[in-house]
Amino acid sequence: MKIFCVIPAWNEEKKILKVVNEAAQFVDSVVVVDDGSIDKTSQVLQQTKAIVLRHVINRGQGAALQTGNEFALLNGADIVVHFDADGQFLATEIKEMVQPLLNNECDIVFGSRFLGKKSSLPFWKEFIIMPLAHLVNKIILGRTLTDPQGGFRAMNKEALQKITISQRGMAHCSEIIYKAFKYRLRIKEVPITVIYDEFGQSFGGGIRIIKDLLMAKFLD
Amino acid sequence: MLQQYIAIAIIFFFIFRLVSQKRKNQLETNEFLFWFIFWLLAGVTIINLRYIDELVARFGFSSSGINVLLYVAVIILFYLVFRIRLRQEKVEREITKIVKNIAINNK
């Protein structure tokens, strides 16, 4: 089984090296999609074995993930892991994310911050933003999971072929959940740890996600 | 009355601009026809404001015809802005596809 880790990165020159080196221990290939960074993200990665794909202009995390997915599929990936470039996730948990796919228990695995493992979520994110995100997912998409906006996930080839990410911004999290249900993929949630040193998604970002999801209703 | 003359002068100006743009081949025929009919209808409406008042009253609206036209115009504008946003989003998606293909093909 060939496992790829796709890491979308935008201006992450300070953290990307550590993230890539750690993730590389648990997968066969690391693909970093430099999403039009204006810092030295791409140059820093030359010290690693990571495959670097470069977006000539910034298109957003969802677009970067789709680029990574397609590249991985073209290069014989059986499993793709989505991992953040900012060091919020623990690379050691990649094993736990991939295991259900290796056991053929499911087609897609979503990491969840709300299934036992303790993540240090800021108060208002846990008690205001997340319940709102659940509500938005349920109203607009009709589906939600215990973690409505998690970015740590793993998919097998079937899921990769079926799910095309068309949300170029942060709304891709909800879109992937929606499409996983829509295509009747076997879904599993795995507890993960998230380390917060910054707030993450802002309130304005949340509004943008709602706007993007609504807009997609008229486009798809 | 003066306001109607001013409005008609403005409409004539736009029709003149439209025709000159069409002559320079800066407009597609469909687009030209859409705007030409739009301004023509606007002109006819301005000339027949009194009838519009009567029509509006017959439908049971309390405000004058020009007010109702304004409300309709605002609704149409909202709709057009929405259409433009949809078109813009489609263009954004096309740009994303191009960027993705460049990234993959350059590897």
Side-chain angles (χ1 to χ4, degrees):
Chain A
M1 284 279 196
K2 211 170 170 184
I3 305 172
F4 279 58
C5 180
V6 172
I7 305 177
W10 183 58
N11 296 337
E12 292 287 0
E13 63 177 10
K14 287 179 186 158
K15 293 178 181 170
I16 193 71
L17 206 58
K18 184 170 178 277
V19 170
V20 166
N21 286 333
E22 285 177 2
Q25 297 170 39
F26 303 96
V27 295
D28 299 303
S29 295
V30 175
V31 178
V32 178
V33 184
D34 178 0
D35 192 21
S37 297
I38 50 169
D39 67 358
K40 291 178 181 163
T41 299
S42 285
Q43 290 94 309
V44 165
L45 288 167
Q46 285 171 359
Q47 306 166 38
T48 68
K49 285 181 184 169
I51 300 161
V52 183
L53 305 176
R54 186 165 161 73
H55 279 181
V56 286
I57 50 170
N58 179 256
R59 296 314 291 158
Q61 197 181 59
L65 285 172
Q66 183 57 27
T67 300
N69 282 356
E70 287 188 28
F71 178 84
L73 271 177
L74 285 170
N75 288 275
D78 297 301
I79 291 171
V80 164
V81 179
H82 289 168
F83 202 74
D84 278 3
D86 55 8
Q88 283 195 342
F89 300 144
L90 297 179
T92 48
E93 291 179 346
I94 290 177
K95 265 170 127 179
E96 295 160 43
M97 291 289 287
V98 166
Q99 201 55 51
L101 296 172
L102 293 171
N103 297 344
N104 196 22
E105 293 168 28
C106 58
D107 302 308
I108 185 163
V109 179
F110 291 96
S112 174
R113 292 164 281 187
F114 307 102
L115 281 177
K117 287 187 180 175
K118 191 67 195 154
S119 295
S120 52
L121 253 79
F123 175 83
W124 95 301
K125 185 157 191 161
E126 187 167 358
F127 295 103
I128 296 172
I129 299 283
M130 284 302 156
L132 278 175
H134 275 299
L135 197 66
V136 167
N137 277 3
K138 275 183 187 163
I139 292 172
I140 303 179
L141 306 172
R143 307 285 185 187
T144 193
L145 291 172
T146 59
D147 192 339
Q149 280 295 312
F152 195 0
R153 63 184 80 83
M155 304 183 213
N156 67 10
K157 206 170 181 174
E158 191 189 341
L160 279 167
Q161 284 165 339
K162 285 184 174 165
I163 296 176
T164 301
I165 304 168
S166 51
Q167 288 290 346
R168 66 179 188 282
M170 298 307 290
H172 70 271
C173 296
S174 302
E175 185 194 12
I176 293 171
I177 294 173
Y178 169 71
K179 287 186 173 171
F181 279 104
K182 183 183 169 187
Y183 298 126
R184 298 178 186 280
L185 297 172
R186 293 172 299 158
I187 298 167
K188 183 162 186 171
E189 287 189 277
V190 165
I192 55 157
T193 317
V194 178
I195 306 151
Y196 284 91
D197 54 1
E198 286 167 21
F199 181 76
Q201 195 64 248
S202 67
F203 188 73
I207 299 291
R208 204 169 305 129
I209 289 173
I210 297 173
K211 190 197 76 189
D212 288 347
L213 289 173
L214 284 172
M215 192 61 85
K217 285 267 171 201
F218 294 96
L219 280 166
D220 297 331
Chain B
M1 201 65 178
L2 177 70
Q3 286 160 327
Q4 276 174 303
Y5 285 132
I6 294 171
I8 287 168
I10 292 170
I11 288 169
F12 265 116
F13 169 74
F14 279 117
I15 289 178
F16 171 76
R17 288 262 305 154
L18 206 62
V19 173
S20 73
Q21 276 179 319
K22 178 67 188 151
R23 276 189 182 162
K24 290 176 192 165
N25 274 332
Q26 290 171 339
L27 276 179
E28 297 277 332
T29 307
N30 284 349
E31 209 173 349
F32 168 77
L33 281 177
F34 172 82
W35 286 113
F36 187 75
I37 293 168
F38 173 85
W39 288 119
L40 222 56
L41 281 176
V44 170
T45 313
I46 296 289
I47 292 165
N48 295 296
L49 259 187
R50 201 174 296 166
Y51 296 110
I52 302 283
D53 279 345
E54 285 170 19
L55 193 70
V56 164
R58 206 179 301 159
F59 281 118
F61 289 100
S62 57
S63 54
S64 67
I66 194 74
N67 283 346
V68 172
L69 282 182
L70 202 69
Y71 304 147
V72 172
V74 170
I75 292 167
I76 291 171
L77 279 176
F78 268 108
Y79 175 70
L80 288 177
V81 168
F82 175 68
R83 288 285 303 269
I84 290 170
R85 280 288 297 122
L86 279 185
R87 191 176 289 186
Q88 185 196 348
E89 192 51 40
K90 279 183 186 169
V91 173
E92 291 280 359
R93 286 189 177 187
E94 295 302 313
I95 294 170
T96 302
K97 272 187 203 165
I98 295 168
V99 170
K100 176 188 71 189
N101 289 339
I102 293 171
I104 293 175
N105 293 337
N106 279 354
K107 201 66 217 167

